[in-house]
Amino acid sequence: DTGVSQDPRHKITKRGQNVTFRCDPISEHNRLYWYRQTLGQGPEFLTYFQNEAQLEKSRLLSDRFSAERPKGSFSTLEIQRTEQGDSAMYLCASSLVWEFAGELFFGEGSRLTVL
Amino acid sequence: KQEVTQIPAALSVPEGENLVLNCSFTDSAIYNLQWFRQDPGKGLTSLLLIQSSQREQTSGRLNASLDKSSGRSTLYIAASQPGDSATYLCAVPNTGNQFYFGTGTSLTVIP
């Protein structure tokens, strides 16, 4: 298994455009997380999925953000009408959870720059 | 809400020195605590996971301890090397399984 993969690694867009990021978790992992990280800060939670169900969303996640995980496999995070404040690293992580939180494994991240 | 603090924010040491990084958290009702390493512009690499029932976990030159009652964890790095230079983050999950991260300790090991 090659671990968690994210695509694209870098995205530069103009304000107002829509962008979509994809995350492929470790194949047997049932839980998938999205985090956002800005320079000098720790990752901030955005949302997570248990299989295909989106169980929790951060209040930081405005209506312009939407995430899906069809069939409990890969996930997409879409940002509509991007703003300069959306510029950040978007990190995906997956884990195998039976009862409690399992070990998190992260991808390399997708860096978004909004001009 | 869980608050996670890491001290120091930055650390610079000569090669070969042993060092300790600190992580504190406000809510002691945790299931586990995880330490990560992050290189500039990269994702996070898992170093050690300590379950709430454990007090220590070791991997090579790394040793992590956990004291739930005092809300503290330490990451001990023995015989530091320039390749250890990175930012080290700790994370704890809450009961809803959302992970809270500290802002990290930026480590520089000078050859």
Side-chain angles (χ1 to χ4, degrees):
Chain A
D1 195 349
T2 57
V4 179
S5 62
Q6 293 188 244
D7 184 71
R9 294 289 312 281
H10 299 95
K11 179 72 176 177
I12 300 173
T13 190
K14 293 182 179 179
R15 188 178 54 179
Q17 298 295 304
N18 300 341
V19 296
T20 299
F21 301 114
R22 176 180 170 125
C23 172
D24 287 272
I26 294 172
S27 58
E28 66 268 24
H29 283 184
N30 52 4
R31 188 161 291 183
L32 186 149
Y33 296 81
W34 285 100
Y35 279 83
R36 178 171 66 189
Q37 187 180 29
T38 53
L39 199 63
Q41 301 297 312
E44 278 183 305
F45 170 78
L46 293 178
T47 188
Y48 84 88
F49 294 83
Q50 178 82 15
N51 299 312
E52 67 274 10
Q54 189 173 18
L55 295 188
E56 193 171 341
K57 287 174 62 172
S58 167
R59 280 170 280 181
L60 298 173
L61 217 61
S62 75
D63 292 344
R64 298 183 296 104
F65 287 71
S66 63
E68 293 183 339
R69 192 184 182 196
K71 303 178 183 178
S73 55
F74 71 92
S75 176
T76 58
L77 176 69
E78 181 183 18
I79 309 174
Q80 296 182 324
R81 305 182 302 282
T82 52
E83 302 172 356
Q84 288 184 325
D86 297 332
S87 295
M89 175 79 90
Y90 290 84
L91 295 162
C92 175
S94 69
S95 67
L96 182 61
V97 176
W98 294 109
E99 185 176 0
F100 304 122
E103 185 174 4
L104 276 184
F105 294 89
F106 279 85
E108 290 289 352
S110 294
R111 179 167 296 284
L112 173 65
T113 302
V114 182
L115 302 175
Chain B
K1 180 189 169 185
Q2 180 76 270
E3 301 281 344
V4 181
T5 304
Q6 291 189 246
I7 295 172
L11 185 61
S12 183
V13 300
E15 181 177 2
E17 195 160 295
N18 302 326
L19 56 102
V20 175
L21 308 180
N22 297 290
C23 171
S24 61
F25 45 94
T26 53
D27 185 351
S28 61
I30 63 170
Y31 297 123
N32 58 48
L33 183 145
Q34 197 168 351
W35 281 93
F36 294 89
R37 168 192 173 129
Q38 187 174 32
D39 294 292
K42 303 285 190 180
L44 282 69
T45 300
S46 178
L47 296 174
L48 288 164
L49 173 72
I50 311 178
Q51 301 293 349
S52 60
S53 58
Q54 297 177 306
R55 294 191 66 85
E56 280 192 9
Q57 189 71 259
T58 298
S59 176
R61 294 182 295 108
L62 305 179
N63 175 277
S65 67
L66 175 63
D67 184 344
K68 274 184 59 176
S69 60
S70 66
R72 292 181 183 178
S73 176
T74 61
L75 179 67
Y76 175 83
I77 303 177
S80 58
Q81 303 171 358
D84 296 331
S85 298
T87 296
Y88 292 80
L89 298 122
C90 65
V92 290
N94 68 356
T95 53
N97 293 308
Q98 174 191 145
F99 284 77
Y100 290 93
F101 285 81
T103 52
T105 294
S106 177
L107 173 65
T108 302
V109 181
I110 304 165

Coordinates of all heavy atoms in Angstrom, one line a residue, chain A residues 19-101:
Chain A
V19 N -12.5 25.1 -6.9 CA -11.4 24.2 -6.9 C -11.9 22.9 -6.2 O -12.7 22.9 -5.3 CB -10.1 24.7 -6.2 CG1 -9.6 25.9 -6.9 CG2 -10.4 25.0 -4.7
T20 N -11.3 21.8 -6.6 CA -11.6 20.5 -6.0 C -10.3 19.7 -5.8 O -9.4 19.7 -6.6 CB -12.5 19.6 -7.0 OG1 -13.7 20.3 -7.2 CG2 -12.8 18.3 -6.3
F21 N -10.3 19.2 -4.6 CA -9.1 18.3 -4.2 C -9.6 16.9 -4.0 O -10.7 16.7 -3.5 CB -8.5 18.8 -2.9 CG -8.0 20.2 -2.9 CD1 -8.6 21.2 -2.2 CD2 -7.0 20.6 -3.8 CE1 -8.2 22.5 -2.3 CE2 -6.5 21.9 -3.9 CZ -7.1 22.9 -3.1
R22 N -8.7 16.0 -4.3 CA -9.1 14.5 -4.1 C -8.1 13.9 -3.1 O -6.9 14.2 -3.1 CB -9.0 13.8 -5.5 CG -9.2 12.3 -5.4 CD -9.1 11.6 -6.7 NE -9.1 10.2 -6.5 CZ -10.0 9.4 -7.1 NH1 -10.9 9.8 -7.9 NH2 -9.9 8.1 -6.9
C23 N -8.7 13.0 -2.4 CA -7.9 12.2 -1.4 C -8.2 10.7 -1.6 O -9.4 10.3 -1.6 CB -8.2 12.6 0.0 SG -7.4 11.6 1.3
D24 N -7.2 9.9 -1.7 CA -7.3 8.5 -1.7 C -6.7 7.9 -0.4 O -5.5 8.0 -0.3 CB -6.6 7.8 -2.9 CG -7.4 8.1 -4.2 OD1 -8.3 7.3 -4.5 OD2 -7.1 9.1 -4.9
P25 N -7.5 7.4 0.5 CA -7.0 6.9 1.8 C -6.3 5.6 1.6 O -6.3 5.0 0.6 CB -8.2 6.8 2.6 CG -9.3 6.5 1.6 CD -8.9 7.2 0.4
I26 N -5.7 5.1 2.7 CA -5.2 3.8 2.8 C -6.4 2.8 2.6 O -7.4 3.1 3.2 CB -4.4 3.5 4.1 CG1 -3.2 4.4 4.1 CG2 -4.1 2.1 4.3 CD1 -2.4 4.4 5.4
S27 N -6.2 1.8 1.8 CA -7.4 1.1 1.3 C -8.3 0.5 2.4 O -9.5 0.5 2.2 CB -7.0 0.0 0.3 OG -6.1 -0.9 1.0
E28 N -7.8 0.0 3.4 CA -8.6 -0.7 4.4 C -9.1 0.3 5.5 O -9.9 -0.1 6.4 CB -7.9 -1.8 5.1 CG -6.7 -1.4 6.0 CD -5.4 -1.4 5.2 OE1 -5.5 -1.3 4.0 OE2 -4.4 -1.5 5.8
H29 N -8.8 1.5 5.4 CA -9.2 2.5 6.4 C -10.6 3.0 6.2 O -11.0 3.3 5.1 CB -8.2 3.7 6.4 CG -6.9 3.5 7.0 ND1 -6.0 4.4 7.2 CD2 -6.4 2.3 7.5 CE1 -4.9 3.9 7.8 NE2 -5.1 2.6 8.0
N30 N -11.4 3.0 7.4 CA -12.8 3.3 7.3 C -13.0 4.8 7.6 O -14.1 5.3 7.4 CB -13.6 2.4 8.2 CG -13.1 2.4 9.6 OD1 -12.1 3.1 10.0 ND2 -13.7 1.6 10.5
R31 N -12.0 5.5 8.1 CA -12.3 6.9 8.5 C -11.4 7.8 7.7 O -10.2 7.4 7.5 CB -12.0 7.1 10.0 CG -12.4 8.5 10.4 CD -12.6 8.5 11.9 NE -13.8 7.8 12.4 CZ -14.2 7.8 13.6 NH1 -13.5 8.5 14.5 NH2 -15.3 7.1 14.0
L32 N -11.9 8.9 7.3 CA -11.2 9.9 6.5 C -11.4 11.3 7.0 O -12.6 11.6 7.3 CB -11.6 9.8 5.0 CG -10.8 10.6 4.0 CD1 -10.8 9.9 2.6 CD2 -11.4 12.0 3.8
Y33 N -10.3 12.0 7.2 CA -10.4 13.4 7.7 C -9.9 14.4 6.7 O -8.9 14.1 5.9 CB -9.5 13.5 9.0 CG -9.9 12.6 10.1 CD1 -9.6 11.3 10.2 CD2 -10.6 13.2 11.2 CE1 -9.9 10.5 11.3 CE2 -10.9 12.5 12.3 CZ -10.6 11.1 12.4 OH -10.9 10.4 13.5
W34 N -10.4 15.6 6.8 CA -9.9 16.7 6.1 C -9.5 17.8 7.1 O -10.2 18.1 8.0 CB -10.8 17.4 5.1 CG -11.0 16.6 3.8 CD1 -12.1 15.7 3.5 CD2 -10.2 16.6 2.7 NE1 -11.9 15.2 2.3 CE2 -10.8 15.8 1.7 CE3 -9.0 17.3 2.4 CZ2 -10.2 15.5 0.5 CZ3 -8.5 17.1 1.1 CH2 -9.1 16.2 0.2
Y35 N -8.2 18.3 7.0 CA -7.7 19.4 7.8 C -7.2 20.5 6.9 O -6.8 20.3 5.8 CB -6.6 18.8 8.7 CG -7.0 18.1 9.9 CD1 -7.3 16.7 9.8 CD2 -7.1 18.7 11.1 CE1 -7.8 16.1 10.9 CE2 -7.5 18.0 12.3 CZ -7.9 16.7 12.2 OH -8.3 16.0 13.3
R36 N -7.1 21.7 7.5 CA -6.5 22.8 6.8 C -5.4 23.3 7.7 O -5.5 23.4 8.9 CB -7.6 23.9 6.6 CG -7.0 25.2 6.0 CD -8.1 26.1 5.6 NE -8.9 26.6 6.7 CZ -10.0 27.3 6.6 NH1 -10.5 27.6 5.4 NH2 -10.6 27.8 7.7
Q37 N -4.3 23.7 7.1 CA -3.1 24.2 7.8 C -2.6 25.5 7.2 O -2.3 25.5 6.0 CB -2.1 23.2 7.9 CG -0.9 23.5 8.8 CD 0.2 22.5 8.9 OE1 0.4 21.7 8.0 NE2 0.9 22.4 10.0
T38 N -2.4 26.5 8.0 CA -1.8 27.7 7.5 C -0.4 27.8 8.1 O -0.1 27.2 9.1 CB -2.6 29.0 7.8 OG1 -2.9 29.0 9.2 CG2 -3.9 29.0 7.0
L39 N 0.4 28.7 7.6 CA 1.8 28.8 8.0 C 2.0 29.0 9.5 O 1.4 29.9 10.0 CB 2.5 29.9 7.2 CG 4.0 29.8 7.1 CD1 4.5 28.5 6.4 CD2 4.6 31.0 6.4
G40 N 2.8 28.2 10.1 CA 3.1 28.4 11.5 C 2.0 27.9 12.5 O 2.2 28.0 13.7
Q41 N 1.0 27.3 11.9 CA -0.1 26.8 12.7 C -0.2 25.3 12.6 O 0.3 24.7 11.7 CB -1.4 27.4 12.3 CG -1.5 28.9 12.4 CD -1.3 29.4 13.8 OE1 -1.9 28.9 14.8 NE2 -0.4 30.3 14.0
G42 N -0.9 24.7 13.6 CA -1.2 23.3 13.5 C -2.4 23.0 12.6 O -3.1 24.0 12.4
P43 N -2.6 21.8 12.2 CA -3.8 21.5 11.3 C -5.1 21.8 12.1 O -5.2 21.5 13.3 CB -3.6 20.1 11.0 CG -2.2 19.8 11.2 CD -1.7 20.7 12.3
E44 N -6.0 22.4 11.3 CA -7.4 22.7 11.9 C -8.4 21.7 11.3 O -8.4 21.5 10.1 CB -7.8 24.1 11.5 CG -7.3 25.2 12.4 CD -7.9 26.5 11.9 OE1 -7.8 26.8 10.7 OE2 -8.5 27.2 12.7
F45 N -9.2 21.1 12.1 CA -10.1 20.1 11.7 C -11.2 20.8 10.8 O -11.7 21.9 11.1 CB -10.8 19.5 12.9 CG -12.0 18.6 12.6 CD1 -11.8 17.3 12.1 CD2 -13.3 19.1 12.7 CE1 -13.0 16.6 11.8 CE2 -14.4 18.3 12.5 CZ -14.2 17.1 12.0
L46 N -11.5 20.1 9.7 CA -12.6 20.6 8.8 C -13.8 19.6 8.9 O -14.9 20.0 9.1 CB -12.1 20.7 7.3 CG -11.1 21.8 7.1 CD1 -10.7 21.7 5.6 CD2 -11.6 23.2 7.4
T47 N -13.5 18.3 8.6 CA -14.6 17.4 8.5 C -14.1 16.0 8.6 O -12.9 15.8 8.3 CB -15.5 17.6 7.3 OG1 -16.7 16.7 7.4 CG2 -14.8 17.2 6.0
Y48 N -14.9 15.0 8.9 CA -14.5 13.6 8.8 C -15.6 12.7 8.4 O -16.8 13.0 8.6 CB -13.8 13.1 10.0 CG -14.6 12.6 11.2 CD1 -15.0 11.2 11.2 CD2 -14.9 13.4 12.2 CE1 -15.7 10.7 12.3 CE2 -15.7 12.9 13.3 CZ -16.0 11.6 13.3 OH -16.8 11.1 14.4
F49 N -15.3 11.6 7.8 CA -16.2 10.6 7.3 C -15.9 9.2 8.0 O -14.7 8.9 8.2 CB -16.0 10.3 5.8 CG -16.4 11.5 4.9 CD1 -15.6 12.6 4.7 CD2 -17.7 11.6 4.4 CE1 -15.9 13.7 3.9 CE2 -18.1 12.7 3.6 CZ -17.2 13.7 3.4
Q50 N -16.9 8.5 8.3 CA -16.9 7.1 8.7 C -17.5 6.4 7.6 O -18.7 6.5 7.3 CB -17.6 6.9 10.0 CG -17.6 5.4 10.5 CD -16.4 5.0 11.2 OE1 -15.6 5.9 11.6 NE2 -16.2 3.8 11.4
N51 N -16.7 5.6 6.8 CA -17.1 5.0 5.6 C -17.7 6.2 4.7 O -17.0 7.1 4.5 CB -18.1 3.9 5.8 CG -17.5 2.8 6.6 OD1 -16.4 2.3 6.3 ND2 -18.1 2.4 7.7
E52 N -18.9 6.1 4.2 CA -19.4 7.1 3.3 C -20.2 8.2 4.1 O -20.6 9.2 3.5 CB -20.3 6.5 2.2 CG -21.6 5.9 2.7 CD -21.4 4.5 3.2 OE1 -20.3 4.0 3.3 OE2 -22.5 3.9 3.4
A53 N -20.4 8.1 5.4 CA -21.1 9.0 6.2 C -20.3 10.2 6.7 O -19.3 9.9 7.3 CB -21.8 8.3 7.3
Q54 N -20.7 11.4 6.4 CA -20.0 12.5 7.0 C -20.5 12.8 8.4 O -21.7 13.2 8.6 CB -20.3 13.8 6.1 CG -19.4 15.0 6.5 CD -19.5 16.1 5.4 OE1 -20.5 16.2 4.7 NE2 -18.6 17.0 5.4
L55 N -19.7 12.5 9.4 CA -20.2 12.5 10.8 C -20.0 13.8 11.5 O -20.7 14.1 12.5 CB -19.5 11.4 11.6 CG -19.8 10.0 11.1 CD1 -19.2 9.0 12.1 CD2 -21.3 9.7 11.0
E56 N -19.1 14.6 11.1 CA -18.8 15.9 11.8 C -18.3 16.9 10.8 O -17.4 16.6 10.0 CB -17.9 15.6 13.0 CG -17.8 16.8 14.0 CD -17.0 16.5 15.2 OE1 -16.9 15.3 15.5 OE2 -16.6 17.4 15.9
K57 N -18.7 18.1 11.0 CA -18.2 19.3 10.2 C -17.8 20.4 11.2 O -18.6 20.7 12.1 CB -19.2 19.8 9.2 CG -19.5 18.9 8.1 CD -20.7 19.4 7.2 CE -20.4 20.7 6.6 NZ -21.4 21.1 5.6
S58 N -16.7 21.0 11.0 CA -16.3 22.1 11.8 C -17.2 23.4 11.5 O -17.6 23.6 10.3 CB -14.8 22.5 11.5 OG -14.5 23.7 12.0
R59 N -17.3 24.2 12.5 CA -18.0 25.5 12.2 C -17.2 26.4 11.3 O -17.7 27.4 10.8 CB -18.3 26.2 13.5 CG -19.6 25.6 14.2 CD -19.7 26.1 15.6 NE -18.8 25.4 16.6 CZ -18.7 25.6 17.9 NH1 -19.5 26.6 18.4 NH2 -17.9 25.0 18.6
L60 N -15.9 26.0 11.2 CA -15.1 26.8 10.3 C -15.5 26.6 8.8 O -15.1 27.4 7.9 CB -13.6 26.4 10.4 CG -12.9 26.6 11.8 CD1 -11.6 26.0 11.8 CD2 -12.9 28.1 12.1
L61 N -16.1 25.5 8.6 CA -16.5 25.1 7.2 C -17.7 25.9 6.7 O -18.8 25.6 7.1 CB -16.7 23.6 7.2 CG -16.3 22.8 5.9 CD1 -14.8 22.9 5.8 CD2 -16.7 21.4 6.0
S62 N -17.4 26.9 5.9 CA -18.6 27.7 5.4 C -19.3 26.9 4.4 O -19.0 25.9 3.9 CB -18.0 29.0 4.8 OG -17.5 28.8 3.6
D63 N -20.4 27.6 3.9 CA -21.3 27.0 2.9 C -20.6 26.8 1.6 O -21.0 26.0 0.7 CB -22.5 27.8 2.7 CG -23.4 27.8 3.9 OD1 -23.3 26.9 4.7 OD2 -24.3 28.7 4.0
R64 N -19.4 27.5 1.4 CA -18.7 27.3 0.1 C -17.9 26.0 0.1 O -17.4 25.7 -1.0 CB -17.8 28.5 0.0 CG -18.4 29.9 -0.1 CD -17.5 31.0 -0.4 NE -16.5 31.1 0.7 CZ -15.2 30.7 0.7 NH1 -14.7 30.2 -0.4 NH2 -14.4 30.9 1.7
F65 N -17.8 25.4 1.2 CA -17.0 24.1 1.3 C -17.9 22.9 1.3 O -18.9 22.9 2.0 CB -16.2 24.1 2.5 CG -15.0 25.0 2.6 CD1 -15.1 26.4 2.7 CD2 -13.7 24.5 2.5 CE1 -14.1 27.2 2.7 CE2 -12.6 25.3 2.5 CZ -12.8 26.7 2.6
S66 N -17.6 21.9 0.5 CA -18.4 20.7 0.5 C -17.5 19.5 0.3 O -16.5 19.6 -0.4 CB -19.5 20.7 -0.5 OG -18.9 20.7 -1.8
A67 N -17.7 18.4 1.0 CA -16.9 17.3 0.9 C -17.8 16.0 0.7 O -18.9 16.0 1.2 CB -16.1 17.1 2.2
E68 N -17.3 15.1 0.0 CA -18.0 13.8 -0.3 C -17.1 12.7 -0.2 O -15.9 12.8 -0.4 CB -18.6 13.9 -1.7 CG -19.7 14.9 -1.9 CD -20.3 14.7 -3.3 OE1 -19.6 14.2 -4.2 OE2 -21.4 15.2 -3.5
R69 N -17.6 11.5 0.1 CA -16.9 10.3 0.1 C -17.8 9.2 -0.4 O -18.3 8.4 0.3 CB -16.3 9.9 1.5 CG -15.3 8.8 1.4 CD -14.8 8.4 2.8 NE -13.8 7.3 2.7 CZ -13.4 6.5 3.6 NH1 -14.0 6.7 4.8 NH2 -12.5 5.6 3.4
P70 N -18.0 9.2 -1.7 CA -18.9 8.2 -2.3 C -18.4 6.8 -2.1 O -17.2 6.5 -2.3 CB -19.0 8.6 -3.8 CG -17.7 9.4 -4.0 CD -17.4 10.1 -2.8
K71 N -19.3 5.9 -1.7 CA -18.9 4.5 -1.6 C -17.8 4.3 -0.5 O -17.2 3.2 -0.5 CB -18.6 3.9 -2.9 CG -19.6 4.0 -4.0 CD -19.2 3.4 -5.3 CE -20.2 3.6 -6.4 NZ -19.8 3.1 -7.7
G72 N -17.6 5.2 0.3 CA -16.6 5.0 1.3 C -15.2 4.8 0.9 O -14.4 4.2 1.6
S73 N -14.9 5.3 -0.3 CA -13.5 5.1 -0.8 C -12.8 6.4 -0.8 O -12.5 7.0 0.2 CB -13.5 4.5 -2.2 OG -14.3 5.3 -3.1
F74 N -12.5 7.0 -2.0 CA -11.8 8.3 -2.1 C -12.8 9.4 -1.7 O -14.0 9.2 -1.5 CB -11.3 8.5 -3.5 CG -12.4 8.8 -4.5 CD1 -12.8 10.1 -4.8 CD2 -13.1 7.8 -5.2 CE1 -13.9 10.4 -5.7 CE2 -14.1 8.0 -6.1 CZ -14.5 9.3 -6.3
S75 N -12.2 10.6 -1.4 CA -13.0 11.7 -1.0 C -12.6 12.9 -1.8 O -11.5 13.0 -2.3 CB -12.8 12.0 0.5 OG -13.5 13.2 0.9
T76 N -13.6 13.8 -2.0 CA -13.3 15.1 -2.6 C -13.7 16.2 -1.7 O -14.7 16.1 -0.9 CB -14.0 15.3 -4.0 OG1 -15.4 15.1 -3.7 CG2 -13.6 14.2 -5.0
L77 N -12.9 17.3 -1.8 CA -13.2 18.5 -1.0 C -13.3 19.6 -2.1 O -12.3 19.9 -2.8 CB -12.1 18.8 0.0 CG -12.2 20.2 0.8 CD1 -13.4 20.1 1.7 CD2 -11.0 20.5 1.5
E78 N -14.5 20.3 -2.2 CA -14.7 21.3 -3.2 C -14.8 22.7 -2.4 O -15.5 22.7 -1.4 CB -15.9 21.1 -4.0 CG -16.1 22.2 -5.1 CD -17.3 22.0 -5.9 OE1 -18.2 21.2 -5.5 OE2 -17.4 22.6 -7.0
I79 N -14.2 23.7 -3.0 CA -14.3 25.0 -2.5 C -14.9 25.9 -3.6 O -14.3 26.0 -4.7 CB -13.0 25.6 -2.0 CG1 -12.3 24.7 -1.0 CG2 -13.2 27.0 -1.3 CD1 -10.9 25.2 -0.6
Q80 N -16.0 26.4 -3.4 CA -16.7 27.3 -4.4 C -16.3 28.7 -4.1 O -16.2 29.1 -3.0 CB -18.2 27.0 -4.4 CG -18.6 25.6 -4.8 CD -20.1 25.5 -4.8 OE1 -20.8 26.0 -4.0 NE2 -20.6 24.7 -5.7
R81 N -16.3 29.5 -5.2 CA -16.1 31.0 -5.1 C -14.9 31.3 -4.1 O -15.1 31.9 -3.1 CB -17.4 31.6 -4.6 CG -18.6 31.3 -5.5 CD -19.8 32.0 -5.0 NE -20.2 31.7 -3.7 CZ -20.8 30.6 -3.3 NH1 -21.1 29.7 -4.1 NH2 -21.1 30.5 -2.0
T82 N -13.7 30.8 -4.5 CA -12.6 30.9 -3.6 C -12.3 32.3 -3.2 O -12.5 33.3 -4.0 CB -11.3 30.3 -4.2 OG1 -11.2 30.8 -5.5 CG2 -11.5 28.8 -4.3
E83 N -11.8 32.5 -2.0 CA -11.4 33.8 -1.5 C -9.9 33.7 -1.1 O -9.4 32.6 -0.9 CB -12.2 34.1 -0.2 CG -13.7 34.2 -0.5 CD -14.5 34.3 0.8 OE1 -13.9 34.3 1.9 OE2 -15.7 34.5 0.7
Q84 N -9.2 34.8 -1.0 CA -7.8 34.8 -0.6 C -7.6 34.1 0.7 O -6.5 33.5 0.9 CB -7.2 36.2 -0.7 CG -7.1 36.8 -2.1 CD -6.5 38.1 -2.2 OE1 -6.7 39.0 -1.3 NE2 -5.7 38.4 -3.2
G85 N -8.5 34.3 1.6 CA -8.4 33.6 2.9 C -8.4 32.1 2.9 O -8.1 31.4 3.9
D86 N -8.8 31.5 1.7 CA -8.8 30.1 1.6 C -7.4 29.5 1.3 O -7.2 28.3 1.3 CB -9.7 29.7 0.5 CG -11.2 30.0 0.7 OD1 -11.6 30.1 1.9 OD2 -11.9 30.3 -0.3
S87 N -6.5 30.4 1.0 CA -5.1 30.0 0.7 C -4.5 29.2 1.9 O -4.5 29.8 3.1 CB -4.2 31.1 0.4 OG -4.6 31.7 -0.8
A88 N -4.1 28.0 1.8 CA -3.7 27.1 2.9 C -3.2 25.8 2.3 O -3.4 25.6 1.1 CB -4.8 26.9 3.9
M89 N -2.7 25.0 3.2 CA -2.5 23.6 2.8 C -3.7 22.7 3.3 O -4.1 22.9 4.4 CB -1.2 23.1 3.5 CG -0.9 21.6 3.3 SD -0.2 21.3 1.7 CE 1.5 21.4 2.2
Y90 N -4.2 22.0 2.4 CA -5.4 21.1 2.7 C -4.9 19.7 2.9 O -4.3 19.1 1.9 CB -6.5 21.2 1.7 CG -7.2 22.6 1.8 CD1 -6.6 23.7 1.1 CD2 -8.3 22.8 2.6 CE1 -7.2 25.0 1.3 CE2 -8.8 24.0 2.7 CZ -8.3 25.1 2.1 OH -8.8 26.4 2.2
L91 N -5.0 19.1 4.1 CA -4.5 17.8 4.4 C -5.6 16.8 4.6 O -6.6 17.1 5.2 CB -3.7 17.9 5.7 CG -2.4 18.8 5.7 CD1 -2.0 19.1 7.1 CD2 -1.3 18.1 5.0
C92 N -5.3 15.6 4.0 CA -6.2 14.5 4.2 C -5.5 13.5 5.1 O -4.3 13.3 5.0 CB -6.6 13.9 2.8 SG -7.6 12.5 2.9
A93 N -6.3 12.8 5.9 CA -5.7 11.7 6.8 C -6.7 10.6 6.8 O -7.9 10.8 6.7 CB -5.4 12.3 8.2
S94 N -6.2 9.4 7.0 CA -7.2 8.3 7.2 C -6.7 7.4 8.4 O -5.6 7.5 8.9 CB -7.2 7.4 5.9 OG -6.0 6.7 5.7
S95 N -7.6 6.7 8.9 CA -7.3 5.8 10.0 C -8.3 4.6 10.0 O -9.4 4.6 9.4 CB -7.4 6.5 11.4 OG -8.8 6.9 11.6
L96 N -7.9 3.5 10.7 CA -8.7 2.4 10.9 C -9.3 2.4 12.3 O -8.5 2.4 13.3 CB -7.9 1.1 10.7 CG -8.7 -0.2 10.8 CD1 -9.8 -0.3 9.7 CD2 -7.8 -1.4 10.6
V97 N -10.6 2.5 12.4 CA -11.2 2.7 13.7 C -12.2 1.6 14.0 O -13.1 1.3 13.2 CB -12.0 4.1 13.7 CG1 -12.7 4.3 15.0 CG2 -11.0 5.2 13.5
W98 N -12.1 1.0 15.2 CA -13.1 0.0 15.6 C -14.0 0.6 16.6 O -15.2 0.6 16.5 CB -12.4 -1.2 16.2 CG -11.6 -1.9 15.2 CD1 -10.2 -2.0 15.1 CD2 -12.1 -2.7 14.1 NE1 -9.9 -2.8 14.0 CE2 -11.0 -3.2 13.4 CE3 -13.4 -3.0 13.6 CZ2 -11.1 -4.0 12.2 CZ3 -13.5 -3.7 12.5 CH2 -12.4 -4.2 11.8
E99 N -13.4 1.2 17.7 CA -14.3 1.8 18.7 C -13.8 3.2 19.0 O -14.6 4.1 19.1 CB -14.2 0.9 20.0 CG -15.1 1.4 21.1 CD -15.2 0.5 22.3 OE1 -14.4 -0.5 22.3 OE2 -15.9 0.8 23.3
F100 N -12.5 3.4 19.2 CA -11.9 4.7 19.5 C -11.1 5.1 18.3 O -10.8 4.4 17.4 CB -11.1 4.6 20.8 CG -11.9 4.1 22.0 CD1 -11.5 3.0 22.7 CD2 -13.1 4.7 22.4 CE1 -12.2 2.5 23.7 CE2 -13.8 4.2 23.4 CZ -13.3 3.1 24.1
A101 N -10.6 6.4 18.4 CA -9.8 6.9 17.4 C -8.5 6.1 17.2 O -7.8 5.8 18.1 CB -9.4 8.4 17.7

